[in-house]
Amino acid sequence: MSSAKDIGLPEALERAAAALPGDADEIRPANGDPFALLSLLDVEASQRVMEWLLANEPVAGSELVEAWADAGGDAAALIARTDGSGFPKEARKALRRAHHRMRSRGESIPEPAPQPIVATLPKVVDEIAVSLVSGLDPRGTRMAYIVENDPSGGARLFAVALDEARGVRELEVFSAGRSKIKTFIRECTQREEYPAIEAPLEAIQALIARSAVAQPTDSPAPRSFVEWRSHIADPAEGSSTPGELARAALAAGGELEAGDLGRAVVLVRDQSIGPWPPPNETLSEIVQRLDDVAEGVVVVSAAAKQEQIDRELDEAVERVFDAGFATCTANRFEETAYIFWRADASEDARACLAAANAFRGSKSEFRELGRAMLEVVLAPALKAMDRPPEKAESSDEPSTVSP
């Protein structure tokens, strides 16, 4: 697995461009050159980009600070007033080194502000504009959040429950003061299970729009979504979802081809991700067929019984992962890649992208992974089939209850 130390400034700036879409048109033309970047960004944008790098890519952020500290002018002034509190250790050390060099040149460095910067918390205090997305739960549902200024004051929050197979499940719209919104965002980003992470607004909108297209006819979207659809699910043409951003970034870094499908199988079997089951009626049919296998033969060897189960599971993979559900599963793996990518788990992100590729290919490419997903879903039924009938039904065994 690659670490943050493997990421150079050019790739880190590409990640910054994805996370700061409003500054992307100025970031990308610099091609990773810190001085060209400085000439393209205004002072406020320079601060946003530098702070994002220090918080999220501290090694690359340190490289940028060193270059800008020696550039003088507005860049040096920006670094001089930047307090390292709240940034990762590597970033704090880079700022201290830069401040020391600047003091040695006779430049004035302000005292640290009494309130530390919380680098991991989206900045919703001064500008109420943030968009976040969570990972997928075992059924394949995730949350997307969009926060914006409320015309009547305070902030407005859209909380959307999304599912690649079942469309838009819920939409709640809240208006509240900034402090409450800040508290809510902190809780979302710091919760233990499925924490929300930042993603560009247009990527979130593209994700919501794609889920809406998958809305089943027998399960219409919430009425609130119909009202707000044009506001939260109308991205610019060609906008990428978060997963597509991860794919593009890893491909740009030359890492995509190393994706390991076997790693994806491990992630599914240890329940780090998935298993994202098919509809309940499909599962019920598979369980019934497995029960028929277990009850259809009175005397059968363990090997023969396992062979029958294996055959039934292989056939279930063929039936379950038709073109529609395979595409849905591919999208889920790709979106999970974004979560791993933003967590600097590049190996797992590549594995998920490899899985997405497999589910967009032939059934032979994803058969093993599809089988693993079904086995996790069907674990209770498969375990029951392994129980010897005489132990489950015999009444001749001695009681374990004390008199």
Side-chain angles (χ1 to χ4, degrees), residues 19-20 51-52 55-56 117-133 145-147 178-179 181-190 195-199 342:
L20 303 170
E51 290 186 352
W52 189 92
N56 298 278
I117 298 171
V118 182
T120 58
L121 181 64
K123 294 187 175 181
V124 297
V125 179
D126 298 321
E127 295 183 8
I128 303 295
V130 65
S131 47
L132 310 123
V133 67
Y145 304 100
I146 296 175
V147 179
R178 296 185 177 200
S179 62
I181 291 294
K182 182 180 178 182
T183 299
F184 179 83
I185 294 300
R186 181 184 292 109
E187 291 173 352
C188 288
T189 57
Q190 297 180 357
I197 61 175
E198 286 191 86
R342 289 296 306 274

Side-chain angles (χ1 to χ4, degrees), residues 220-251:
R223 183 175 301 177
S224 55
F225 178 71
V226 176
E227 177 185 354
W228 289 100
R229 180 169 184 164
S230 62
H231 190 75
I232 65 171
D234 187 22
E237 185 176 354
S239 294
S240 298
T241 68
E244 291 166 344
L245 292 177
R247 178 179 292 279
L250 290 172

Side-chain angles (χ1 to χ4, degrees), residues 94-311:
L95 284 168
R96 284 199 300 269
R97 288 195 301 267
H99 289 169
H100 176 74
R101 290 204 312 274
M102 294 167 71
R103 284 192 183 96
S104 68
R105 297 198 300 257
E107 298 178 38
S108 175
I109 306 296
E111 290 298 319
Q115 293 297 322
I117 298 171
V118 182
T120 58
L121 181 64
K123 294 187 175 181
V124 297
V125 179
D126 298 321
E127 295 183 8
I128 303 295
V130 65
S131 47
L132 310 123
V133 67
S134 75
L136 286 75
D137 71 11
R139 287 195 57 82
T141 302
R142 69 192 318 195
M143 294 300 300
Y145 304 100
I146 296 175
V147 179
E148 63 183 22
N149 283 304
D150 190 330
S152 62
R156 179 188 290 142
L157 166 70
F158 298 89
V160 197
L162 304 172
D163 190 301
E164 291 283 350
R166 298 183 297 157
V168 179
R169 309 305 299 161
E170 297 178 11
L171 169 62
E172 295 190 56
V173 185
F174 304 96
S175 291
R178 296 185 177 200
S179 62
K180 288 187 177 180
I181 291 294
K182 182 180 178 182
T183 299
F184 179 83
I185 294 300
R186 181 184 292 109
E187 291 173 352
C188 288
T189 57
Q190 297 180 357
R191 63 192 173 202
E192 185 173 349
E193 288 193 330
Y194 316 114
I197 61 175
E198 286 191 86
L201 175 59
E202 288 192 348
I204 299 291
Q205 291 175 331
L207 184 66
I208 297 172
R210 187 173 71 189
S211 296
V213 170
Q215 197 74 39
T217 55
D218 60 350
S219 180
R223 183 175 301 177
S224 55
F225 178 71
V226 176
E227 177 185 354
W228 289 100
R229 180 169 184 164
S230 62
H231 190 75
I232 65 171
D234 187 22
E237 185 176 354
S239 294
S240 298
T241 68
E244 291 166 344
L245 292 177
R247 178 179 292 279
L250 290 172
E255 302 178 53
L256 189 55
E257 296 303 320
D260 182 2
L261 196 58
R263 176 61 183 164
V265 173
V266 172
L267 291 171
V268 167
R269 289 200 181 279
D270 69 15
Q271 298 184 55
S272 296
I273 60 174
W276 311 322
N280 288 336
E281 57 270 22
T282 303
L283 279 180
S284 297
E285 178 187 341
I286 297 171
V287 172
Q288 183 59 56
R289 292 173 72 107
L290 289 171
D291 286 344
D292 292 344
V293 168
E295 298 173 2
V297 180
V298 177
V299 179
V300 64
S301 69
K305 180 179 178 181
Q306 186 59 52
E307 182 179 349
Q308 291 175 331
I309 293 173
D310 288 341
R311 187 183 308 116

